[in-house]
Amino acid sequence: MSILVKIADLDLSGKTVLVREDYNVPLKNGEVTDDTRIRATLPTINQLLAAEAKIILISHLGRPKAGEYDDAFSLAPVAKRLSELLDCEVPLIRDWVNGVDMGEHNIVLCENARFEAGETKDDEELSRKMAQMCQVYINDAFATAHRAQASTHGVAKYAAVAAAGPLLITELKALTKALRDPAKPLVAIVGGAKVSTKLTILETLSEKVDQLIVGGGIANTFLKSAGYEIGKSLYEPDLVNVASSLLEKAKEKGCDIPLPVDVIVGKEFNENAKATIKPISEVEADDMIMDVGPKTSKLLNTYINDAATIVWNGPLGVFEFDQFSQGTASLSKSIAASNAYSIAGGGDTIAAISKFKIADDISYISTGGGAFLEFLEGKKLPAIELLEEAARAWEAMEKAREL
Ligand code: AMP
């Protein structure tokens, strides 16, 4: 992993720090319904309090109209929950752009960054103002690291010191361990609806992994390219050629991408559709493939059992409908039972992990949907790139000071 400035590298006593957290939490009737993300930031806050820093927290919440205050997207419920968890008042600052008077408080929360017109545009003026609010900027929000916005990116350009928070570092370490320096064999499972949304991931992973497994609607396009009848199943005609070249390349590498040998089909796409298990060779013209069959699950489990590192994104079937969830359930169980280092992420994958109750048995669950996927694609995340640049500048400054 590249060099980043960490909290422990800095003397923060009496200094004002602006900390970008991810408080994009679910709300109902003005209350936080799941405070996992808030709780996750408590160690960072406590470390900063112990270092005697003055903490200004900043985050976005939802997608309000840029430049307008909207009660529905206020961070007030987060301020309330944070105050309860920390057992001290965390005031919510509505107008923070031109500086925050913290008074007697050691910790405050800025109102939704996206109420500022320049936030999502990575506006220079707003970024500069954010930088002026603090002596040190700390980015602790991996989930937004793929977005170049004022509070995740621009501010790091202008802040005197820009550091990475512990949550962000933990996430980067886990992803780097799984992808940049994995214990072998590395097995990746890419499921979900469409090849098109995961094309770069499939191409990048196919180069890196020892074994690629495809599932869900994605596998249908691969089945089609291999000449199988897939009836009315979801697939992408435009990507059949891409699928066949991926199959070809894997074969040349000596690690075939295994295709389902049996499937679970329905005649219509709904939660009451009757599920029928059949060998792949018996799929009829009016069938929809909605899941992999038990023989395929058994086969896939052998790959999981042999793996030293497992990367998982995307379900193997329409797991939201119970009768088509067995493939994803069986995969979840075998990942959970495996001794391999396992990492999983992406919205539907997290929903599956929670449905099959295996969260405790996955080595690391990524908090970043989009950021996780872009990391899998091998892309440089803009927020991380800037933290790295800032770390190089900081190191040079420290060296100069020592001379
Ligand atoms: P993604 O967001 O690309 O990870 O896709 C997740 C969605 O793919 C889930 O909502 C699944 O229901 C859906 N899915 C998985 N397998 C299939 C399939 N065989 N046919 C249609 N949809 C599928």
Side-chain angles (χ1 to χ4, degrees):
M1 202 173 88
S2 53
I3 294 171
L4 296 168
V5 183
K6 301 179 213 59
I7 292 178
D9 296 329
L10 304 166
D11 175 8
L12 296 174
S13 178
K15 298 220 171 97
T16 305
V17 295
L18 178 69
V19 190
R20 176 56 158 102
E21 289 293 3
D22 176 17
Y23 290 140
N24 186 28
V25 295
L27 299 176
K28 202 172 176 189
N29 302 327
E31 295 285 333
V32 175
T33 54
D34 179 352
D35 66 1
T36 313
R37 284 187 168 166
I38 304 177
R39 284 177 184 277
T41 67
L42 297 181
T44 305
I45 293 173
N46 285 326
Q47 190 182 351
L48 290 169
L49 288 173
E52 297 174 343
K54 301 282 247 177
I55 308 167
I56 305 177
L57 298 166
I58 189 161
S59 174
H60 78 284
L61 174 68
R63 293 171 187 265
K65 200 164 168 221
E68 276 176 34
Y69 176 84
D70 180 347
D71 254 347
F73 294 98
S74 168
L75 280 169
V78 173
K80 181 168 167 255
R81 188 72 193 113
L82 251 183
S83 305
E84 288 162 5
L85 290 167
L86 289 168
D87 200 19
C88 78
E89 194 204 344
V90 180
L92 180 68
I93 313 289
R94 174 101 169 245
D95 297 311
W96 46 265
V97 179
N98 294 311
V100 173
D101 176 7
M102 295 189 62
E104 290 301 298
H105 298 282
N106 288 326
I107 175 166
V108 299
L109 172 65
C110 297
E111 187 49 287
N112 194 340
R114 290 197 181 158
F115 290 162
E116 297 305 319
E119 166 64 4
T120 54
K121 295 187 199 127
D122 202 18
D123 177 66
E124 182 181 331
E125 195 188 333
L126 180 62
S127 304
R128 282 186 189 276
K129 284 189 168 174
M130 286 178 181
Q132 276 160 15
M133 287 162 65
C134 62
Q135 286 150 298
V136 176
Y137 163 75
I138 297 170
N139 189 343
D140 203 24
F142 177 81
T144 56
H146 60 309
R147 298 210 172 98
Q149 304 192 336
S151 69
T152 62
H153 181 260
V155 56
K157 278 193 238 171
Y158 307 112
V161 179
L167 280 179
L168 184 135
I169 289 175
T170 306
E171 180 103 26
L172 275 181
K173 271 196 186 148
L175 294 180
T176 306
K177 183 170 168 183
L179 282 162
R180 305 268 149 89
D181 184 21
K184 300 266 189 170
L186 164 60
V187 176
I189 307 110
V190 182
K194 291 181 172 178
V195 174
S196 54
T197 57
K198 297 192 185 167
L199 189 55
T200 334
I201 293 174
L202 287 164
E203 284 172 344
T204 311
L205 287 180
S206 68
E207 299 283 322
K208 273 195 191 135
V209 302
D210 300 300
Q211 183 64 58
L212 180 63
I213 293 170
V214 292
I218 288 178
N220 295 344
T221 302
F222 280 76
L223 284 166
K224 183 80 183 175
S225 82
Y228 289 99
E229 166 71 76
I230 58 164
K232 292 192 298 173
S233 306
L234 170 74
Y235 86 106
E236 289 168 291
D238 295 352
L239 291 166
V240 169
N241 285 342
V242 173
S244 96
S245 97
L246 283 168
L247 285 174
E248 213 39 59
K249 272 192 209 150
K251 195 175 252 163
E252 280 164 22
K253 260 178 73 182
C255 52
D256 283 353
I257 299 173
L259 293 180
V261 291
D262 59 347
V263 287
I264 307 186
V265 302
K267 297 287 184 197
E268 65 243 4
F269 192 93
N270 67 48
E271 58 187 332
N272 301 317
K274 183 170 173 282
T276 310
I277 302 175
K278 42 175 80 172
I280 187 64
S281 54
E282 288 176 21
V283 173
E284 292 167 26
D286 62 346
D287 279 336
M288 274 183 200
I289 301 172
M290 311 264 255
D291 197 4
V292 295
K295 284 196 177 128
T296 305
S297 286
K298 231 179 169 175
L299 174 73
L300 297 184
N301 289 350
T302 60
Y303 292 107
I304 304 294
N305 290 342
D306 290 344
T309 307
I310 299 166
V311 176
W312 176 30
N313 169 257
L316 296 189
V318 186
F319 74 101
E320 298 91 334
F321 303 158
D322 286 344
Q323 70 277 35
F324 301 113
S325 67
Q326 84 81 30
T328 309
S330 156
L331 174 74
S332 302
K333 272 192 215 131
S334 65
I335 296 177
S338 154
N339 290 325
Y341 180 77
S342 54
I343 184 152
D348 279 304
T349 313
I350 290 174
I353 286 170
S354 136
K355 176 161 178 166
F356 305 119
K357 302 189 173 56
I358 55 154
D360 291 343
D361 301 308
I362 303 267
S363 313
Y364 194 80
I365 298 172
S366 176
T367 58
F372 173 68
L373 296 180
E374 291 198 13
F375 195 95
L376 290 192
E377 287 175 27
K379 281 192 188 152
K380 275 257 168 197
L381 306 180
I384 310 293
E385 251 183 325
L386 268 193
L387 291 178
E388 288 170 354
E389 262 175 46
R392 284 192 288 273
W394 179 81
E395 256 199 344
M397 229 164 57
E398 287 294 292
K399 277 212 180 96
R401 206 170 284 154
E402 281 166 20
L403 292 175

